């Protein structure tokens, strides 16, 4: 299955997209709420194109096309909750018409194929199996260079015969899967300019969490360019989310205070704990119930289990770390797939790289860190940073 919709010579002929969604079909009573949200999110993704009504039937949805498969499919491929998409032609019940379309759907194909007929309309004269054979034989007769492979065909010509019409398709594109964005509430994503945190954010959005990214910058020590980079990362995230509110937190005073008042070897841990406090306070103000970071166990000194434990205890809210068990190369693969990698690897100056001690503590203890934090006016620093946070709306 190709990943991104492209190069389909039939694209002008399709009249609908069949949308399959997975898990949300399993949610019992909540099912309607999830489906409503999925429809809303799909409509949002299609904003700017001619309006259309999305139809729901039998645990799937149909999006009408107006010769614009090329516009619609790539947008729907970014809607969380969608498992896969097939552009379809809707034809009648006439056998000759179905046979003719089967030929069109297999046109230009050179290898193995199978036919997969589902007859939901029992008044249709032939059974599914009869139709499989009939259409298979027709294809072989017209295209003798093809051969049948029922197990691993390169092409499947699918036919669904329903009372309201016969749907035919031969191509299926993956969606991101997961749950509709917003169906799991709201969280704050601690977004750096690195590789990991955009991936972490994407993974939680895929689980339905609406995210507000929060970025800490420390001008004049961090540059305007590193801020631009974070804006670019948000644009990529917004291409999945519709729109996103980036929170930019002015962190310079906090960092200076840590540098001035606290032991250097605990500086990074204390800085992270300050980030968590600021993020949690922002979350309370915005109705968010969790924080999200790109931490992965053991990746750097501040991500040992001791550090993660001490950092976590600064936050009254749960910290979700979707990358915690992932190896770096897998995170990089994912970053490439979602489109953040090229931006993430641009050189930049992160506030985290300021004042980094030569020998950071890798096994900090809570009591030791709390003692080291005593000289800080924590509540005031947090409040001041929250007050100075700037919000930038980024469209999808
Ligand atoms: P990343 O690729 O996300 O920068 P990293 O491996 O470089 O991750 P660290 O620099 O140790 O990890 O940061 C750990 C996590 O802390 C990041 O994934 C991110 O969630 C958060 N974080 C780090 N720096 C910032 C920042 N300047 N603003 C907001 N969050 C940050
Ligand atoms: Mg980083």
């Amino acid at each position: 299955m190709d990943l991104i919709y492209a190069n389909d010579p039939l694209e002008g002929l399709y009249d609908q997209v069949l949308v399959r969604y997975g898990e949300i079909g399993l949610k019992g009573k909540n099912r309607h709420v999830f489906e409503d949200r999925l429809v809303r999110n799909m409509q949002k993704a299609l904003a700017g194109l001619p309006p259309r009504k999305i139809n729901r039937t039998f645990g799937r949805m149909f999006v009408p096309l107006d010769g614009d498969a090329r516009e619609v499919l790539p947008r729907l491929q970014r809607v969380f909750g969608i498992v896969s998409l097939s552009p379809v032609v809707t034809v009648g019940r006439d056998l000759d018409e179905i046979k003719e379309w089967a030929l069109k759907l297999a046109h230009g194909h050179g290898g193995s194929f199978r036919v997969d007929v589902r007859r939901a309309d029992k008044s249709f004269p032939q059974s599914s199996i009869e139709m499989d054979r009939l259409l298979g034989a027709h294809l072989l007769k017209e295209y003798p260079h093809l051969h049948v492979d029922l197990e691993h065909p390169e092409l499947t010509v699918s036919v669904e015969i329903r009372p309201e019409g016969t749907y035919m398709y031969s191509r299926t594109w993956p969606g991101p899967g997961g749950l509709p964005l917003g169906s799991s509430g709201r969280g704050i994503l601690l977004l750096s300019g690195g590789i990991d945190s955009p991936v972490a954010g994407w993974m939680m959005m895929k689980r339905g969490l609406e995210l507000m990214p929060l970025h800490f910058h420390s001008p004049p020590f961090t540059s305007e360019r590193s801020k631009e980079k974070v804006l670019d990362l948000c644009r990529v995230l917004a291409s999945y989310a519709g729109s996103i509110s980036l929170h930019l937190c002015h962190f310079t005073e906090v960092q200076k205070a840590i540098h001035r008042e606290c032991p250097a070897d605990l500086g990074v841990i204390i800085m992270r704990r300050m980030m968590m406090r600021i993020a949690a306070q922002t979350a309370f103000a915005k109705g968010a119930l969790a924080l999200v970071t790109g931490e992965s166990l053991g990746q750097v000194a501040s991500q040992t289990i001791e550090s993660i434990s001490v950092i976590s205890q600064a936050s009254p809210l749960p910290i979700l770390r979707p990358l915690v068990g992932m190896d770096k190369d897998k995170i990089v693969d994912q970053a490439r797939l979602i489109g953040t990698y090229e931006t993430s690897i641009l050189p930049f100056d992160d506030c985290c790289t300021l004042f980094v001690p030569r020998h950071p503590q890798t096994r900090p203890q809570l009591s030791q860190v709390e003692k080291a934090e005593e000289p800080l006016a924590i509540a005031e620093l947090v409040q001041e940073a929250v007050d100075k946070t700037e919000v930038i709306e980024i469209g999808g």
Side-chain angles (χ1 to χ4, degrees):
M1 191 151 62
D2 290 322
L3 240 37
I4 306 293
Y5 178 79
N7 299 334
D8 186 345
L10 296 175
E11 73 185 3
L13 302 176
Y14 299 121
D15 62 309
Q16 308 196 67
V17 186
L18 163 58
V19 177
R20 299 178 195 84
Y21 49 94
E23 260 175 292
I24 67 173
L26 306 172
K27 295 277 171 184
K29 268 189 290 178
N30 286 334
R31 179 173 163 161
H32 279 293
V33 180
F34 281 79
E35 286 179 344
D36 288 348
R37 195 177 284 277
L38 181 61
V39 169
R40 276 205 306 279
N41 293 350
M42 283 161 68
Q43 291 288 15
K44 227 198 246 179
L46 298 176
L49 298 177
R52 62 201 81 205
K53 183 175 181 314
I54 295 171
N55 300 305
R56 309 180 200 188
T57 49
F58 311 107
R60 300 169 318 173
M61 294 182 189
F62 285 93
V63 180
L65 292 173
D66 187 12
D68 52 3
R70 187 188 291 231
E71 289 282 336
V72 170
L73 277 140
R75 293 187 187 207
L76 294 181
Q77 279 199 290
R78 289 173 174 258
V79 176
F80 296 111
I82 293 180
V83 173
S84 67
L85 300 157
S86 297
V88 304
V89 287
T90 312
V91 304
R93 295 161 55 97
D94 180 62
L95 189 56
D96 286 334
E97 193 186 358
I98 294 173
K99 279 160 80 174
E100 196 185 313
W101 273 103
L103 289 182
K104 282 191 193 165
L105 289 172
H107 183 77
H109 178 66
S112 59
F113 82 102
R114 66 171 290 185
V115 178
D116 180 17
V117 179
R118 260 173 258 174
R119 184 187 60 153
D121 177 4
K122 299 298 175 208
S123 73
F124 192 81
Q126 281 84 12
S127 72
S128 300
I129 294 172
E130 283 166 352
M131 282 297 284
D132 281 343
R133 296 210 179 113
L134 199 148
L135 292 177
H138 185 60
L139 283 166
L140 283 174
K141 186 168 121 261
E142 297 293 326
Y143 300 144
H145 58 285
L146 295 184
H147 64 275
V148 174
D149 180 347
L150 297 180
E151 294 295 314
H152 302 289
E154 289 160 273
L155 181 85
T156 300
V157 176
S158 300
V159 183
E160 287 192 28
I161 304 169
R162 295 194 169 274
E164 67 276 14
T166 302
Y167 306 118
M168 299 184 63
Y169 56 92
S170 60
R171 305 205 72 171
T172 297
W173 304 92
L179 300 171
L181 190 75
S183 60
S184 302
R186 182 178 286 174
I188 299 281
L189 168 66
L190 283 86
L191 180 66
S192 73
I195 294 170
D196 302 329
S197 46
V199 175
W202 187 90
M203 286 174 69
M204 293 320 300
M205 291 201 299
K206 178 158 123 72
R207 295 307 301 166
L209 197 66
E210 182 200 335
L211 285 182
M212 293 187 164
L214 170 61
H215 177 70
F216 296 94
H217 68 149
S218 297
F221 303 110
T222 57
S223 66
E224 195 61 21
R225 258 193 76 219
S226 67
K227 179 176 143 186
E228 282 302 321
K229 184 178 172 184
V230 171
L231 286 171
D232 283 340
L233 288 172
C234 285
R235 286 187 190 105
V236 180
L237 293 180
S239 72
Y240 296 89
S243 61
I244 258 183
S245 306
L246 169 63
H247 289 55
L248 262 181
C249 177
H250 198 289
F251 201 50
T252 317
E253 291 313 313
V254 177
Q255 282 200 294
K256 279 188 183 162
I258 295 171
H259 189 59
R260 201 171 50 234
E261 313 281 355
C262 305
D265 64 339
L266 290 174
V268 176
I269 295 289
I270 293 173
M271 179 183 73
R272 290 263 183 269
R273 283 165 58 86
M274 289 304 286
M275 285 183 176
M276 296 305 160
R277 293 182 179 113
I278 294 166
Q281 187 145 326
T282 308
F284 287 130
K286 307 284 175 177
L289 297 180
L291 310 182
V292 177
T293 75
E295 290 160 304
S296 168
L297 187 61
Q299 202 189 74
V300 288
S302 58
Q303 295 173 25
T304 62
I305 196 65
E306 289 84 354
S307 299
I308 284 183
S309 169
V310 171
I311 291 167
S312 293
Q313 292 180 74
S315 169
L317 290 179
I319 302 172
L320 307 178
R321 299 177 167 97
L323 312 186
V324 72
M326 276 172 81
D327 293 346
K328 190 76 183 189
D329 55 341
K330 291 288 178 302
I331 301 172
V332 165
D333 289 347
Q334 191 64 23
R336 285 187 205 276
L337 212 62
I338 66 179
T340 52
Y341 182 74
E342 296 305 324
T343 305
S344 287
I345 57 169
L346 297 172
F348 82 119
D349 37 355
D350 185 29
C351 67
C352 300
T353 49
L354 298 174
F355 317 125
V356 170
R358 211 167 304 153
H359 299 292
Q361 278 256 11
T362 54
R363 309 208 181 288
Q365 288 183 348
L366 184 63
S367 55
Q368 172 200 20
V369 174
E370 281 173 344
K371 192 155 175 40
E373 280 175 346
E374 268 170 19
L376 292 177
I378 291 176
E380 289 79 1
L381 285 169
V382 169
Q383 192 57 50
E384 199 187 333
V386 170
D387 291 344
K388 273 201 207 158
T389 296
E390 176 193 352
V391 182
I392 302 174
E393 295 299 334
I394 295 166

